[in-house]
Each structure stands twice: as C-alpha cells, then as structure tokens.
Amino acid sequence: MRRIWAALTTTALTAAALTGCGLGSDDGKNSDSVASAAATGEVKGKVSLQTWALKPKFTDYMQGVIDGFKKKYPGVEVDWLDQPGDGYSNKVLSQASAGDLPDVVNLPPDFALPLAKKDLLLDVSKADPKLADEYVAGGVDAYRFAGQDGVYGYPWYLNTDVNYWSSDLLTQSGLDPKKLPAGLDDLIAQARVVKEKSGGKTYLMSRKPGIGDLYNAGVKILADDGKSFTFNTPEAAALLDRYRDAFKEGLLPNDVLTNTYAGNSKLFNSGTAAWTTAGANYITSLATDNPTLAPKVVPSAAFNTPPLYVQGVSIPKSTKNPAAAVALARWVTNAENQAALAHLTSVFPSTKASANDPFFSRSDGTNAGDAKVIAFTSLAKAKLIQPVVIDDAMSTVINQQIALAISGQASSKQALDSAVQQCDKLLKG
C-alpha cells in the first residue's frame, strides 16, 4: 500500500520510543503564538532543510528549488541536509531527543504524530492562515491528529490507489469490462461469475478486507481523543461476515489467509486474478513485468473514499528562524515546485492550484494516462483512512484477527473485539 518510493516509506516512529529516549515536551518558551507571530516577520538569515533519501537522484531538482528560494529572498542561506532512506526514523528520533531538528524537516504523518504529541512541532495552521485554502483537504487533514489541536505539517507530494481490471479475464467470464463493479455487492456478484466460468481457476476477489474496507463501510476506527480503537461495531462484523461467506463459497484463493499468500497484485500480474489495486503508475511498471497484459488493463476509481499516501514537511517549534522556515516550507510545497517533482517521478502535488495543470488532468489516451488522471482526480476526496497510530504490531494483530473471522475460526464480533482489545493495549504502551 506504500507506493510512492523510498522517500514515502512510513516506518513508525512511536511515541513510546520517543518517551523511552527521554524526549521531553516543549518548555513553553517557544509557544505556538510566539512562533506564529514571528513567522510573519522578514525572511532572512540561515534556515535548514532536511529531506529523506532524495540524493543523488533528485539532487539537481532540490538544488534548483533551493536556488529559486534564495533568488526570491536574497541574503537567505539554506543548509540542505538529506538523510539516507534506511534508519531515517532513528535519525529523526536522535535529532528530536537532542533538540537538533532542522528548521524544516521532511516528516510523513506517522513521524510527525509523536513529535506533535510532545508539543515539539509548530501548528502551521496558526502560522499560515492560507494553509487550508491552498492545499487539498486530505493532505492538510493528514497532519491533524486525534486528541491534538492544530495542523503539524505541510502536505508535500501525494499518491493514491486505483482499481485495475483485466479485460481479458472479465470477457472470458462473459462480463463486460465497461460495466465494472461499483462496490462490494457488484464485486461479490461478478466474483461468483468468474469462479463459475473458470471452474475456480481464476478469481475476481483476491484479498481479505482491512482497515480501509472497514472505514469505507462507515466504521469509525479511532476515538476522537485518539486514546482507543472503535472498529468492533456491528457494521464491521457484518462486513467480515460477507467476506467469510465469500471465502467459504470459494470466491477468494484458499491461501489468502496464510503466510504463503502472494498478494493480489502478483496474482493479477500472473493472470490468476482479474482485479487489483495499485498506484497511478502501475500500468507503466506492468508493461515491463507483463507486456502482454498491460494494454488490456482497465483502470477505474477506487471504491468509496480513496486512500491517501502523504509525504510532508514540518517545522519544529524550536526553530530560531520561523519566518524563513514557514517561507521555505511553502516554497518547497508550492504548485510549481511540486509539479516539477511530479514530472520526474510518479507522485502528485498537494496544492489545489494543480487541479488546472493539464499534465495531471488530461490523459494521453492510453490506459496508463487514464489511470493517472483517475488517481489525480481522486485526490480531491482521498483521505488518510488508516490512522497513523496503527503501527506494524497493530497491523499484525488486526490482520490475524480478520483472518480468524474470515476462516470461521472465530466469530466476526469476537475477532474484532480481540483486535480492539490488543490494539488498545499496544496504543497505551
């Protein structure tokens, strides 16, 4: 599900780890109000920027962004630091513990959350009142955290998922690739047709449900205060019941609940599954892996609320140059600079002004071009549907309990109750 490339990896930097290293909260000397007021001052002096794994591939790009900033603000000195992909979470942890965070630091939402909880990040919605007007809502909301007031980062570059369908497998089953499933009811109905026509050799559905499916079923995942999980509802149990029945009917691969499960994208690539979800550049990469299949893939928008994958930059409250830090954060994430980055790699800008850029909003007539437009258009309503507090340990628990429910080894309600109970314990550390 994390499809943007190494710089968008989201290894969890947990609040427990921060606390364990003795990281204290802000001492009050750099309050939001003081920093926000200072952010309106003259842009001058030294300011530091830290990115994540952009060298050497994007060195020229980033240097151009920095040079443009210095041209706009003569006399400003920018110190650009780029950290390797591996160990970045530990590096940020070490910097935060020592009080040495750069003035503008590349933080995905799950890295920003524990720092925000420790009152170490600037509420950029106070420092920059135009934030919500100029960036897409989902990107801004990704830096709003349950139990915390404020916005703790500028969304930088984004991605989302698109549905991909094999027109060959659908046609072979007597289904019309122009009448694609619009939701779970259609998906199950067409999955039944695919199974019957193929004799169980191919599938339409090839993954078990997850947190995103519960969210799109109207299930509240996390309490408003961020202190407990709430996804053990009758609606959630009903959704798992439907998947359990589909699995029992043979509409999903037998190994979908086991450690030998290859993943639905691999099953799609091999011609075993007729549907998968992936990022906007999937067809382009598929052209290398399976050039025969790629031209026959039909993209469509993700069901319900599309998932949002976010990379961003945050500003520590300890910055000694808030005016330059805010100006630099805005500059790095402005529409022009984001568009230039998107031309170099498969990401999308987070600015509302980018909606009028034909590079994103118009297809070149290929299915890959169609997928790019579908993904970009989806960003207007995409959301970070999995709370950032869900770390790898919680994900393991949730997946295990969902597998028990789908297999029938536990009732759906029992599995969800167990998942919530275990995740609440992990959340409280």
Side-chain angles (χ1 to χ4, degrees):
M1 300 294 288
R2 296 164 184 174
R3 310 185 193 283
I4 295 191
W5 40 274
L8 198 53
T9 302
T10 53
T11 306
L13 176 63
T14 65
L18 289 170
T19 303
C21 286
L23 180 64
S25 61
D26 184 83
D27 62 7
K29 294 179 181 178
N30 293 294
S31 68
D32 274 321
S33 59
V34 172
S36 298
T40 63
E42 183 180 357
V43 178
K44 61 181 181 179
K46 295 182 180 180
V47 63
S48 54
L49 166 66
Q50 179 167 288
T51 55
W52 182 9
L54 295 188
K55 290 183 178 180
K57 185 174 182 180
F58 299 99
T59 297
D60 290 344
Y61 164 77
M62 282 304 304
Q63 194 58 58
V65 171
I66 292 168
D67 290 345
F69 182 72
K70 292 166 68 176
K71 183 178 180 180
K72 181 174 182 178
Y73 299 103
V76 170
E77 183 179 338
V78 178
D79 181 17
W80 175 33
L81 313 167
D82 187 69
Q83 302 295 343
D86 292 339
Y88 185 62
S89 60
N90 290 331
K91 180 62 177 180
V92 171
L93 171 61
S94 176
Q95 291 172 319
S97 299
D100 291 332
L101 284 168
D103 297 299
V104 180
V105 56
N106 186 178
L107 295 177
D110 55 343
F111 282 29
L113 170 62
L115 300 183
K117 283 185 173 181
K118 290 296 181 179
D119 199 27
L120 297 176
L121 297 181
L122 183 67
D123 176 0
V124 294
S125 66
K126 290 183 179 178
D128 189 349
K130 295 181 180 179
L131 180 76
D133 295 331
E134 297 183 2
Y135 296 84
V136 297
V140 174
D141 288 344
Y143 287 89
R144 299 183 195 272
F145 304 124
Q148 302 289 126
D149 292 328
V151 179
Y152 296 96
Y154 284 84
W156 187 359
Y157 49 91
L158 313 174
N159 214 331
T160 188
D161 280 344
V162 173
N163 283 327
Y164 294 99
W165 312 88
S166 169
S167 60
D168 265 0
L169 290 183
L170 293 176
T171 302
Q172 290 169 18
S173 299
L175 296 169
D176 187 349
K178 294 182 179 180
K179 297 179 180 178
L180 298 170
L184 185 59
D185 290 343
D186 292 343
L187 195 63
I188 291 174
Q190 293 197 23
R192 189 171 292 117
V193 174
V194 170
K195 180 207 171 187
E196 293 171 353
K197 294 291 185 178
S198 70
K201 295 180 180 179
T202 57
Y203 302 89
L204 184 61
M205 301 170 67
S206 61
R207 66 167 181 80
K208 66 179 185 294
I211 286 294
D213 298 283
L214 298 181
Y215 178 94
N216 275 322
V219 176
K220 188 179 181 65
I221 307 301
L222 186 69
D224 291 338
D225 61 8
K227 296 181 179 180
S228 62
F229 289 98
T230 57
F231 57 84
N232 54 336
T233 67
E235 293 79 9
L239 178 69
L240 297 193
D241 286 347
R242 299 199 67 189
Y243 272 90
R244 180 199 60 214
D245 293 344
F247 179 75
K248 186 176 181 180
E249 193 178 340
L251 303 186
L252 291 88
N254 287 330
D255 65 350
V256 73
L257 305 180
T258 71
N259 291 331
T260 62
Y261 173 58
N264 71 329
S265 61
K266 289 186 178 180
L267 294 176
F268 185 89
N269 289 9
S270 67
T272 303
W275 167 58
T276 189
T277 59
N281 66 328
Y282 172 72
I283 295 176
T284 301
S285 62
L286 181 63
T288 299
D289 299 334
N290 190 337
T292 302
L293 174 60
K296 301 173 183 177
V297 172
V298 179
S300 70
F303 298 132
N304 304 112
T305 300
L308 184 66
Y309 309 113
V310 185
Q311 192 62 268
V313 293
S314 298
I315 300 171
K317 290 174 68 175
S318 60
T319 178
K320 293 180 174 60
N321 195 346
V326 169
L328 180 56
R330 285 186 61 87
W331 180 261
V332 169
T333 61
N334 70 24
E336 182 179 356
N337 286 324
Q338 288 205 56
L341 179 60
H343 279 258
L344 297 174
T345 189
S346 54
V347 297
F348 295 105
S350 61
T351 55
K352 292 181 180 179
S354 302
N356 299 318
D357 189 333
F359 178 77
F360 305 108
S361 60
R362 296 180 189 172
S363 173
D364 60 5
T366 65
N367 58 351
D370 292 345
K372 181 179 72 171
V373 172
I374 289 169
F376 179 67
T377 304
S378 297
L379 292 176
K381 63 175 183 178
K383 293 182 179 180
L384 198 68
I385 59 180
Q386 176 165 305
V388 295
V389 296
I390 297 181
D391 59 17
D392 290 342
M394 295 178 194
S395 292
T396 297
V397 166
I398 293 167
N399 286 333
Q400 288 173 342
Q401 292 302 317
I402 287 177
L404 290 175
I406 303 303
S407 67
Q409 296 180 57
S411 74
S412 295
K413 188 61 167 62
Q414 288 172 336
L416 290 166
D417 286 343
S418 179
V420 165
Q421 182 180 24
Q422 293 181 62
C423 287
D424 279 349
K425 288 181 179 179
L426 291 168
L427 184 62
K428 292 170 184 174

